[in-house]
């Protein structure tokens, strides 16, 4: 357990479904991140939140919608996804964007 | 951020030292070298970072050349659990709080029994 908890660990959803991924950290960090890792590809940054404010959106399609209600929780709302969105979705947190990023174990998403 | 170059894969015998190289010839004076690793299907894990001095912690040692154009991550006694993808990342201290960490393809280290 790294201190960053992601749920669910695995998710299978249809293209017309709406689901949400949850990330929680109790490390006292003030920055949180969503990354996507497709098969055999490097991690891709999706969204960055600093002090609950979104500071970076890396040209992510609108079918992915992040939400950060407080500095400890981060959500990724999913709707009308495509099969190519199947990937490992990783959440991370850090203090002031510093080197010590702590990652969760990820959610393995399969879109059918 | 300065670009880094790492070999795509390496093998190491269990119990021996694993030396993972990284080239960062365009590194600038305020850029740190960071190392993370990712064990299969898990999130990346921070290992170590340094500016110009060699660094050591309980996980690894980081050796940075005097001209700072390359570095080596050393796992002194590799175990099977060290099998992972290792990422070398160069990042400016000015990016702290402004730009998030980005990852390349890394080096896939396979520790052989």
């Amino acid at each position: 357990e790294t201190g960053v908890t992601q749920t669910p660990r695995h998710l299978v959803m249809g293209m017309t479904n709406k689901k949400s991924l949850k990330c929680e950290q109790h490390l006292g960090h003030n920055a949180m991140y969503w990354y996507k890792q497709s098969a055999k590809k490097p991690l891709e940054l999706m969204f960055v939140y600093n002090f609950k404010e979104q500071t970076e959106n890396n040209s992510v399609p609108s079918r992915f919608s992040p939400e950060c209600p407080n500095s400890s929780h981060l959500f990724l709302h999913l709707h009308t996804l495509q099969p190519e969105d199947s990937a490992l979705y990783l959440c991370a947190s850090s203090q002031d964007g510093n080197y010590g990023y702590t990652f969760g174990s990820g959610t393995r998403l399969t879109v059918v | 951020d300065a670009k880094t170059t790492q070999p795509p894969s390496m093998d190491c015998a269990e119990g021996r030292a694993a030396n993972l190289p990284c080239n960062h010839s365009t590194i600038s004076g305020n850029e740190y070298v960071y190392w993370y690793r990712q064990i299969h299907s898990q999130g990346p894990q921070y290992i170590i970072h340094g500016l110009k001095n060699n660094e050591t912690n309980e996980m690894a040692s980081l050796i940075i050349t005097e001209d700072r154009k390359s570095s080596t991550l050393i796992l002194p006694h590799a175990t099977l659990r060290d099998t992972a993808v290792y990422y070398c990342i160069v990042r400016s201290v000015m990016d702290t709080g402004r730009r998030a960490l980005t990852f390349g393809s890394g080096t896939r280290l396979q520790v052989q029994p």
Side-chain angles (χ1 to χ4, degrees), chain B residues 6-77:
Chain B
Q6 298 178 255
S9 64
M10 292 181 63
D11 285 348
C12 175
E14 190 177 17
R16 304 296 293 269
N19 299 300
L20 294 105
C22 180
N23 284 323
H24 30 80
S25 58
T26 60
I27 193 169
S28 61
N30 66 356
E31 289 182 316
Y32 284 75
V33 181
Y34 299 85
W35 284 84
Y36 280 74
R37 74 178 182 184
Q38 186 177 21
I39 295 170
H40 181 62
S41 291
Q42 296 182 24
Q45 176 189 24
Y46 164 80
I47 300 173
I48 199 167
H49 78 290
L51 184 63
K52 54 183 178 181
N53 296 322
N54 297 338
E55 302 288 344
T56 295
N57 62 21
E58 64 278 5
M59 289 182 69
S61 295
L62 173 60
I63 308 298
I64 302 174
T65 58
E66 194 167 341
D67 63 7
R68 301 186 69 238
K69 293 185 177 182
S70 66
S71 60
T72 301
L73 179 75
I74 300 173
L75 309 178
H77 305 286

Side-chain angles (χ1 to χ4, degrees), chain A residues 4-13 19-24 33-39 43 46 64 74-78 81 85-92 103-111, chain B residues 38 40-44:
Chain A
V4 176
T5 303
Q6 289 188 245
T7 54
R9 289 297 304 273
H10 301 273
L11 178 63
V12 179
M13 61 185 287
K19 296 287 184 183
S20 296
L21 309 185
K22 180 181 176 181
C23 177
E24 185 173 355
Y33 314 84
W34 280 117
Y35 286 84
K36 173 185 176 183
Q37 189 171 34
S38 303
L43 279 81
M46 298 177 74
F64 296 92
L74 185 65
F75 296 89
L76 188 63
H77 304 300
L78 316 171
L81 294 192
D85 296 322
S86 299
L88 180 68
Y89 288 85
L90 290 158
C91 172
F103 282 81
S105 299
T107 294
R108 174 72 60 186
L109 174 68
T110 302
V111 181
Chain B
Q38 186 177 21
H40 181 62
S41 291
Q42 296 182 24

Side-chain angles (χ1 to χ4, degrees), chain A residues 37-93:
Chain A
Q37 189 171 34
S38 303
K40 299 185 179 179
K41 289 187 178 180
L43 279 81
E44 301 172 51
L45 177 68
M46 298 177 74
F47 300 104
V48 180
Y49 277 83
N50 279 288
F51 293 99
K52 303 185 299 177
E53 299 297 323
Q54 187 180 130
T55 56
E56 197 163 338
N57 175 337
N58 209 22
S59 303
V60 180
S62 59
R63 58 185 184 270
F64 296 92
S65 174
E67 179 190 1
C68 189
N70 55 61
S71 56
S72 298
H73 294 86
L74 185 65
F75 296 89
L76 188 63
H77 304 300
L78 316 171
H79 66 96
T80 60
L81 294 192
Q82 305 298 311
E84 58 265 30
D85 296 322
S86 299
L88 180 68
Y89 288 85
L90 290 158
C91 172
S93 71

